[in-house]
Amino acid sequence: MRRLPFPLLLLLGALGWAQPDDQSASRPSWQAVLAPPDEPGEPLRVSGTVFSEDGKRPVAGATVHVYHTDIHGNYSRDQRNGNQDPRLQGTMITDSSGRYEYRTIKPAPYPGSRVPAHIHYVVTAPGHQRRVFEIVFAGDPFVTPKVEAHARRPGSIYSLQHLQKDAHNLWTCVQDVTLKTE
C-alpha cells in the first residue's frame, strides 16, 4: 500500500479523506480521491446516492466506478492507450444510506474533438441492472441541444449537471443514480 507523507495524511484525516487502515484497504470506501493533491486542474467534488428503481429506497453496497480525462483531455500520460487505463479513476461502495462521494478535478474534452468533457460511470449492485452513463456539464461549449434533449430522457447515457462553487471555491455537483431491478 502506498504511504502518504505524514503532513498530508494529517490534512486528509482532518478532512475525512484519509486512506483506510490495512484491514479495510482491499475494500473500497464510500468516498474516494481520484486526483492526487498536485494534479493540475480545478478541484471538483461529486456526491450522490444510489437508489432502487422506485427512486426512494437507497441501495447500500452498490459499486460506483468512475473515470475521466485530465485537464488536457487525456486518460493516461501515454495518449496511445485511449481510455484503456485511465489515470483518474476510482471505485466506491455505497454506505448504508446509499451514499458515495469523490474528489477529483474537472475533466477536459478530448483534444481536437467536439466531445464534451465528461465523467464515465459504471454502477452495479446485486439484484439490479448495471447502469452505464456519463456526466456532462452545463455550459460546456460541446454540449449540444441534442445532448441536452437526450439527457432529459430516463435511462439516458448522459446526465447533464450544473456545477456550483462552494464556500471553499470547490466545484460541486450531486449525481444521484437510480438502478432498475433485475
Side-chain angles (χ1 to χ4, degrees):
M1 181 167 81
R2 192 177 118 214
R3 299 205 181 261
L4 294 174
F6 186 71
L8 180 59
L9 188 59
L10 281 177
L11 174 64
L12 291 174
L15 296 172
W17 289 86
Q19 287 189 332
D21 60 30
D22 288 340
Q23 295 172 348
S24 63
S26 62
R27 188 185 50 180
S29 167
W30 68 278
Q31 295 177 313
V33 177
L34 280 56
D38 61 346
E39 183 72 31
E42 296 180 81
L44 168 67
R45 182 183 66 234
V46 180
S47 60
T49 303
V50 177
F51 292 103
S52 63
E53 195 165 7
D54 64 7
K56 297 177 183 171
R57 201 176 52 227
V59 178
T63 301
V64 179
H65 181 73
V66 296
Y67 63 97
H68 64 83
T69 62
D70 61 19
I71 64 165
H72 304 292
N74 299 312
Y75 288 103
S76 66
R77 288 190 172 90
D78 181 355
Q79 296 173 21
R80 295 171 294 178
N81 284 344
N83 68 352
Q84 297 304 307
D85 188 23
R87 199 170 53 79
L88 301 173
Q89 65 174 317
T91 301
M92 294 138 288
I93 303 295
T94 58
D95 69 4
S96 60
S97 299
R99 296 179 307 159
Y100 75 93
E101 181 175 289
Y102 59 93
R103 291 187 184 219
T104 190
I105 56 145
K106 273 179 66 177
Y110 302 144
S113 79
R114 298 190 59 78
V115 174
H118 56 280
I119 300 174
H120 295 271
Y121 270 70
V122 179
V123 184
T124 59
H128 296 82
Q129 294 178 16
R130 177 175 139 151
R131 175 105 166 83
V132 178
F133 66 98
E134 53 192 50
I135 293 176
V136 294
F137 305 101
D140 184 310
F142 301 130
V143 172
T144 63
K146 185 176 178 179
V147 169
E148 288 178 355
H150 203 295
R152 287 191 287 273
R153 294 186 208 141
S156 173
I157 61 166
Y158 298 114
S159 175
L160 182 62
Q161 290 297 324
H162 297 267
L163 295 178
Q164 298 180 358
K165 291 254 183 157
D166 71 5
H168 305 286
N169 210 31
L170 177 73
W171 287 111
T172 65
C173 73
V174 174
Q175 176 59 61
D176 292 335
V177 180
T178 301
L179 297 178
K180 294 182 179 181
T181 54
E182 289 182 329

